[in-house]
Amino acid sequence: MDTSTIQSLEDQFTTGLFTKRPIAIVRGQGAHLWDADGKEYIDCVGGQGAANLGHANPAVAKAIADQAMRLISCPEMFYNDRRADLEQKLCGLTGMGSVYLCNSGTEAVEAAIKFARLLTHRTGIVAAMRGFHGRTMGALSATWESRYREPFLPLVPDFNHIPYNDGAALRAAITDQTAAVILEVVQGEGGVRPGDPDFLRLAQQLCQERGALLIIDEIQTGFGRTGRLFAFQRYGLQPDLLCAAKSIAGGIPMGATLLQSRLGKLPPQVHGSTFGGNPLACAASLAAIDIMVSERLPERAEELGTWFLGQLRQIQSPLIREVRGLGLMVGIELKQKVTPYLQELMARGVLALPAGMTVMRFLPPLVISKEDLGAAAEAVQEVLCA
Ligand SMILES: *Cc1c(COP(=O)(O)O)cnc(C)c1O
């Protein structure tokens, strides 16, 4: 199918929810993508964070194919070998005690909110301004952006938002009715804003003192993105509840909510998911995690990310307000809207994404070569200095 056929079919039958760019991506390999006209791109969108391993990884593809020939469906009313392996692996890597498996980021957050209410017998949730936690009603209630919230009001009650990195506001917001504080370690959609380590540690301390639970949302920062397997590990944090998704299963849809062992077991039947913990996603996740660890992708993200940030910081452009990031989660805040510059980058063969209206975001697969990152930085320089 050529681009215009693909485009007119999607335009006819899609809901209209998505603002699409006028290319059709049909193939990928590592950090490269190809459109239906055969044009090649350097991918710094990385499946919006789901493609940390890059595209068409043969070990992940083989794990999926093998498992598909063996068993795809197995609800959690039965035990399963792949699920058992994955649960053990996820808990071992994070230091958590138990895990609930689901199918997306928003579901992982939804579960964390429900578990926090269940475990504390409280209702309040404190979240951060510019925080993003998903689009289902509970997760959306924790999300800050009014564009996402307002069409769906009223949302779930007892959520409030404090400024990110504001310790005094946090101290004032956590009460004896607070079930949980939910935070990203680096705010992603909100503009690639790294958390202040002191603020994050204060959140943990205040939660402990006041009987609230700390939910860390690592849906975007997880699985090597920021230079550690999980970003919380940089700061010596120990979340009570940890949300993961995106790159958890090599691009196959999956989410996970992990619980600290001191929280014990949850009562039976109060939550669940038909697809959650299915052997296909579990097999993909096991393969993906093996590669991340054996190929030292977090370390790679740390090294390449530091280098890439350095390259971007050398760009002298009056359009740039700030360059910031952690590992290979990188943002350039402009003094104006980013859309035209992202289009210019695409014309030069580099795909990047926005984070809000004024931040250009780069989430390349962690397997990207230094040459490709250098070429991306050069394209940014051309676009912002034209
Ligand atoms: C993407 C994202 C989510 C939502 O994940 P979905 O799989 O799109 O539901 C939640 N939290 C953060 C931090 C995210 O980046």
Side-chain angles (χ1 to χ4, degrees), residues 110 112-127 138 141-142 155-160 173-182 210-213 215:
E110 212 63 41
I113 292 167
K114 288 178 75 175
F115 297 167
R117 283 191 166 189
L118 202 59
L119 289 161
T120 61
H121 308 287
R122 300 175 177 185
T123 55
I125 307 283
V126 176
S141 306
L155 297 174
V156 180
D158 294 352
F159 282 70
N160 68 322
I174 305 175
T175 70
D176 61 3
Q177 286 310 304
T178 304
V181 174
I182 180 165
R210 300 182 186 178
L213 300 178
I215 305 173

Side-chain angles (χ1 to χ4, degrees), residues 104-107 109 132-134 184 189 217 219-220 245-246:
S104 66
T106 200
E107 279 177 76
V109 169
F132 182 88
H133 301 289
E184 294 159 89
E189 305 291 320
D217 177 348
I219 291 166
Q220 192 160 144
K246 292 207 163 99

Side-chain angles (χ1 to χ4, degrees), residues 191-204:
V192 190
R193 294 167 203 279
D196 170 0
D198 289 337
F199 170 77
L200 295 169
R201 283 192 284 260
L202 177 68
Q204 172 158 314

Side-chain angles (χ1 to χ4, degrees), residues 189-266:
E189 305 291 320
V192 190
R193 294 167 203 279
D196 170 0
D198 289 337
F199 170 77
L200 295 169
R201 283 192 284 260
L202 177 68
Q204 172 158 314
Q205 183 201 325
L206 290 171
C207 282
Q208 272 164 12
E209 286 171 11
R210 300 182 186 178
L213 300 178
L214 179 63
I215 305 173
I216 293 291
D217 177 348
E218 292 241 22
I219 291 166
Q220 192 160 144
T221 49
F223 295 99
R225 173 60 55 192
T226 69
R228 297 286 188 282
L229 198 56
F230 290 93
F232 78 82
Q233 294 165 331
R234 288 186 97 91
Y235 303 118
L237 296 174
Q238 200 45 268
D240 297 302
L241 294 155
L242 175 68
C243 300
K246 292 207 163 99
S247 276
I248 189 173
I252 291 287
M254 180 179 235
T257 310
L258 293 108
L259 295 87
Q260 199 52 251
S261 36
R262 70 166 181 84
L263 296 175
K265 294 292 181 195
L266 298 170

Side-chain angles (χ1 to χ4, degrees), residues 52 99 134 171 198 205 253 256 320 342 370 385:
N52 287 7
V99 54
R171 200 181 282 280
D198 289 337
Q205 183 201 325
I320 297 178
L342 290 171
K370 199 170 180 181
C385 297

